[in-house]
């Protein structure tokens, strides 16, 4: 039965922020040989595919999201040969490797932009988005950078403004130009030919802008004191209808190769998000579903409504996916606290669809406060207090100096709790977050119901309970999550008379249970294999 599913439907994806995963040469920055050293750990954990945040040559104004060459590796991370070796060794372990493609913008140091800004009639000029100043000499419109401030910078050499929806050193490419599209597609082919299994595509919903570049309207929900970049509704600089034709072209490139995957970064509400599967499932294979990350209220009712809404909205044949954290968002343990983070991990790994884990979340790593003088994230520098450094700190491997991450000075501070919250210690603790994650991943791989089965909500009378059933063939798995602060006892005999506890968030409860009086402690989750009648 499993053969009828693609690997990206049944595998678990693990995001690695290369700067922070493992430093192999003592310079304080993680690298490709370091990742290769940790493949055995990832295999033990139960990871099937790793996604690497950008490793391309870059001035590092936005730590690799400002690409200066789409078809090479930055020496900071290693060499092209070392990436090939990493891919080869991952494949030998049955693991896939995905790269982070950044097609919306390039570095201002990319040869394309260097040529484009040299003169108005340069052949590369139309590879980027240029406009004359407004009558008052200011920017052409009111668009704002996601990092704060105007989304336009004046190029004094040619007297025009260029668009950058992020840092001024990240010039937006003009995706209405066929030459730009061809160049990025050729870069995709370069990596596919080297054995890369797919791409996570950065800000894919922003590739096309309104052709007339009109002003964005004000956001009536914005209040003084909130980040300035949220002051306007992003009506005209993202999510334009023409973007879907571009994505179809990208998909055609991926389909030239066997069983490759495209995952799109898309921060949109569910009803807009699902359009990125394509009208005929010819868009990205997995439009990233960040709705658990952006959910305003973390409670049973809100999560149940979200899951049911998503399941209803999926197009026929569309495969779901779920995310709890990434390099741009506060860590789940900091958002919800350690007990609820364990419950969230159980949710992530038992819902229908492909889960993506962020490195360190399997340990319950938390955001690290970064002193102002050590802030390096351009968003944090331009919008103090709203940076992304806290969730990008080094992986905590052991209790040695440098947390086993580096023998040098780490590029970001290591968490104060590294001596007690680390891989070595948690591997030896049968009730740790790491062992829970490992167990859930093992269970997911061994269970057809969890790996690829159907989803159905199970009604309960308890407002703090979220319960659902996963089914495949004759196998039934019941997941019960108590998100409340008090214990509950409930009757779920409608699902079946008895079952066996396959996992508990506390890693303490096991054994046979009757379903007419199931007790859950406060903030506890259970995975129960229903006995066949």
């Amino acid at each position: 039965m499993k053969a009828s599913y693609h690997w990206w439907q049944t595998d678990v994806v693990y995001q690695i922020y290369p700067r922070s995963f493992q430093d192999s040469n003592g310079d304080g920055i993680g690298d490709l040989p370091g990742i290769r050293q940790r493949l055995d750990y990832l295999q033990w954990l139960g990871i099937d595919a790793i996604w690497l945040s950008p490793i391309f040559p870059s001035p590092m104004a936005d730590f690799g999201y400002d690409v200066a060459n789409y078809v090479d590796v930055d020496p900071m991370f290693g060499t092209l040969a070392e990436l090939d070796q990493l891919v080869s060794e991952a494949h030998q372990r049955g693991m896939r490797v995905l790269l982070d493609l950044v097609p919306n913008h390039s570095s201002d140091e990319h040869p394309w932009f260097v040529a484009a800004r040299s003169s108005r009639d340069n052949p590369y000029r139309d590879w980027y988005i240029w406009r004359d100043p407004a009558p008052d000499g200011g920017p052409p419109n009111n668009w704002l950078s996601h990092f704060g401030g105007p989304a336009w910078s004046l190029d004094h050499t040619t007297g025009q403004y260029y668009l950058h929806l992020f840092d001024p050193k990240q010039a937006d490419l003009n995706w209405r130009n066929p030459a730009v599209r061809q160049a990025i597609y050729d870069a995709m082919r370069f990596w596919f030919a080297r054995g890369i299994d797919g791409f996570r595509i950065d800000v894919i919903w922003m590739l096309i802008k309104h052709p007339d570049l009109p002003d964005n309207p004000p956001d009536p929900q914005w209040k003084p004191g909130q980040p300035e970049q949220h002051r306007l509704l992003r009506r005209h600089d993202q999510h334009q209808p023409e973007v879907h034709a571009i994505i179809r072209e990208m998909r055609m490139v991926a389909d030239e190769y066997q069983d490759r995957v495209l995952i799109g970064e898309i921060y949109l509400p569910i009803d807009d998000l699902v359009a990125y599967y394509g009208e005929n499932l010819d868009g990205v294979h997995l439009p990233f579903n960040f709705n658990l990350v952006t959910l305003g209220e973390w409670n049973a009712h809100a999560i149940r409504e979200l899951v049911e809404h998503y399941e209803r909205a999926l197009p026929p044949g569309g495969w779901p996916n779920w995310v709890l954290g990434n390099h741009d968002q506060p860590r789940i343990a900091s958002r919800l606290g350690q007990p609820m983070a364990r419950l969230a991990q159980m949710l992530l790994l038992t819902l229908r669809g492909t889960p993506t884990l962020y490195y360190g979340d399997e340990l319950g790593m938390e955001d690290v406060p970064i002193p102002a003088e050590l802030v390096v994230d351009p968003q944090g520098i331009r919008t103090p207090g709203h940076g992304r450094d806290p969730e990008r700190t080094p992986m905590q491997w052991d209790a040695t100096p440098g947390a086993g991450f580096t023998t040098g000075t780490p590029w970001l501070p290591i968490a104060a709790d590294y001596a007690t919250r680390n891989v070595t210690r948690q591997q030896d603790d049968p009730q740790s977050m790491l062992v829970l994650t490992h167990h859930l991943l093992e269970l997911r791989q061994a269970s057809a119901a969890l790996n690829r089965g159907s989803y159905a909500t199970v009604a309960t009378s308890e407002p703090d309970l979220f319960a659902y059933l996963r089914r495949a063939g004759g196998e039934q798995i019941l997941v019960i999550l108590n998100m409340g602060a008090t214990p509950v006892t409930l009757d779920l005999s409608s699902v079946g008379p008895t079952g066996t506890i396959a996992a508990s968030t506390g890693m303490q409860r096991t054994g046979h249970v009757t379903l007419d009086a199931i007790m859950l402690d406060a903030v506890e989750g259970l995975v129960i294999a229903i006995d066949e009648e």
Side-chain angles (χ1 to χ4, degrees):
M1 179 178 178
K2 189 170 180 177
S4 64
Y5 287 79
H6 296 282
W7 63 266
W8 48 266
Q9 294 174 298
T10 58
D11 282 8
V12 173
V13 180
Y14 185 95
Q15 181 190 357
I16 291 175
Y17 197 70
R19 296 179 69 88
S20 293
F21 199 61
Q22 180 64 60
D23 170 23
S24 71
N25 59 9
D27 66 357
I29 297 171
D31 47 45
L32 295 174
I35 296 170
R36 186 165 51 83
Q37 292 171 17
R38 298 298 186 176
L39 287 177
D40 285 344
Y41 163 76
L42 295 170
Q43 187 174 27
W44 166 83
L45 182 58
I47 298 304
D48 307 294
I50 56 173
W51 147 37
L52 308 181
S53 289
I55 45 80
F56 309 121
S58 167
M60 299 294 162
D62 189 21
F63 300 104
Y65 285 93
D66 49 319
V67 178
N69 182 348
Y70 284 94
V71 291
D72 205 350
V73 172
D74 194 288
M76 178 183 296
F77 297 124
T79 65
L80 198 55
E82 286 171 325
L83 179 59
D84 289 341
Q85 186 177 7
L86 171 62
V87 172
S88 175
E89 293 191 19
H91 285 174
Q92 289 170 22
R93 290 169 170 82
M95 298 168 63
R96 314 279 180 157
V97 179
L98 313 180
L99 295 184
D100 209 320
L101 184 68
V102 189
N104 178 70
H105 45 262
S106 80
S107 167
D108 66 344
E109 297 183 31
H110 195 295
W112 300 341
F113 189 76
V114 172
R117 76 188 315 175
S118 66
S119 71
R120 290 197 184 196
D121 58 0
N122 186 277
Y124 282 95
R125 186 70 171 183
D126 192 46
W127 283 47
Y128 296 86
I129 299 173
W130 302 87
R131 288 297 184 274
D132 290 331
D136 65 358
N141 64 24
N142 71 347
W143 292 3
L144 297 172
S145 162
H146 285 269
F147 289 172
W152 297 91
S153 285
L154 180 63
D155 179 66
H156 294 282
T157 301
T158 59
Q160 284 189 314
Y161 281 86
Y162 68 90
L163 179 68
H164 54 84
L165 291 182
F166 294 90
D167 193 84
K169 292 186 69 63
Q170 294 169 287
D172 276 45
L173 286 158
N174 176 17
W175 272 81
R176 295 182 183 275
N177 183 336
V180 169
R181 301 203 299 269
Q182 190 60 50
I184 297 297
Y185 301 158
D186 286 346
M188 293 171 65
R189 292 184 178 100
F190 174 87
W191 294 111
F192 282 142
R194 298 190 86 90
I196 292 300
D197 297 289
F199 294 101
R200 174 268 192 186
I201 305 174
D202 188 61
V203 299
I204 197 170
W205 84 110
M206 298 185 191
L207 295 184
I208 292 287
K209 288 76 176 174
H210 191 291
D212 300 328
L213 308 183
D215 281 355
N216 277 325
D219 185 345
Q221 305 297 318
W222 184 84
K223 296 180 178 58
Q226 293 178 332
E228 182 201 7
Q229 56 264 42
H230 299 160
R231 184 168 49 82
L232 303 176
L233 293 171
R234 294 190 172 273
R235 188 71 49 79
H236 303 301
D237 59 357
Q238 62 183 37
H239 191 44
Q240 300 299 297
E242 302 99 316
V243 75
H244 296 290
I246 297 294
I247 295 172
R248 281 195 297 274
E249 291 181 357
M250 286 185 162
R251 176 63 178 269
M252 289 171 66
V253 174
D255 287 347
E256 294 171 11
Y257 301 82
Q258 186 174 1
D259 218 13
R260 301 303 208 269
V261 70
L262 300 181
I263 304 174
E265 184 196 24
I266 304 160
Y267 281 94
L268 288 175
I270 286 173
D271 292 330
D272 293 325
L273 172 71
V274 295
Y276 287 78
Y277 284 99
E279 288 185 5
N280 300 302
L281 297 184
D282 53 0
V284 289
H285 301 83
L286 298 174
F288 256 151
N289 175 10
F290 295 120
N291 284 278
L292 284 175
V293 177
T294 58
L295 191 64
E297 295 184 53
W298 190 272
N299 59 56
H301 175 76
I303 294 172
R304 180 171 53 249
E305 290 290 309
L306 167 61
V307 173
E308 291 178 349
H309 183 183
Y310 183 53
E311 286 281 350
R312 288 193 304 268
L314 286 166
W319 189 253
N321 72 94
W322 296 95
V323 183
L324 278 179
N326 62 30
H327 61 293
D328 290 330
Q329 303 294 333
R331 285 191 177 271
I332 187 72
S334 291
R335 299 203 311 267
L336 302 179
Q338 292 292 340
M340 193 65 81
R342 295 172 76 103
L343 205 70
Q345 194 80 308
M346 179 173 281
L347 174 74
L348 176 71
L349 297 178
T350 58
L351 282 172
R352 188 173 83 95
T354 303
T356 297
L357 279 71
Y358 185 48
Y359 84 95
D361 279 357
E362 71 270 25
L363 303 174
M365 278 179 58
E366 298 180 4
D367 295 344
V368 177
I370 308 296
E373 67 274 14
L374 297 181
V375 170
V376 293
D377 173 31
Q379 179 172 303
I381 292 169
R382 298 183 72 184
T383 312
H386 297 279
R388 300 162 297 175
D389 293 331
E391 59 262 27
R392 298 177 174 184
T393 57
M395 181 68 171
Q396 296 159 212
W397 294 104
D398 58 39
T400 62
F405 163 71
T406 185
T407 57
T409 302
W411 77 286
L412 279 176
I414 293 170
D417 68 355
Y418 80 90
T420 54
R421 189 180 304 283
N422 61 61
V423 170
T424 300
R425 182 155 181 166
Q426 290 200 19
Q427 279 183 320
D428 292 335
D429 178 359
Q431 295 171 10
S432 68
M433 177 72 152
L434 177 59
V435 171
L436 169 65
T437 304
H438 169 61
H439 179 65
L440 287 169
L441 287 167
E442 277 192 324
L443 185 62
R444 179 184 177 86
Q445 283 300 91
S447 165
L450 290 177
N451 190 263
R452 55 195 178 274
S454 63
Y455 166 90
T457 301
V458 175
T460 78
S461 59
E462 296 289 340
D464 292 327
L465 258 291
F466 177 32
Y468 48 94
L469 198 61
R470 303 293 312 282
R471 292 190 184 99
E475 183 189 14
Q476 294 191 89
I477 299 287
L478 173 65
V479 182
I480 318 171
L481 307 174
N482 180 12
M483 298 183 175
T486 57
V488 295
T489 300
L490 64 159
D491 180 356
L492 290 180
S493 57
S494 59
V495 174
T498 57
T500 301
I501 295 176
S504 70
T505 48
M507 291 297 290
Q508 292 175 300
R509 295 180 62 182
T510 59
H512 203 245
V513 291
T514 57
L515 298 184
D516 58 357
I518 291 288
M519 191 280 289
L520 285 92
D521 210 341
V523 195
E524 182 182 34
L526 296 177
V527 179
I528 299 173
I530 303 301
D531 293 334
E532 294 186 32
E533 297 185 53

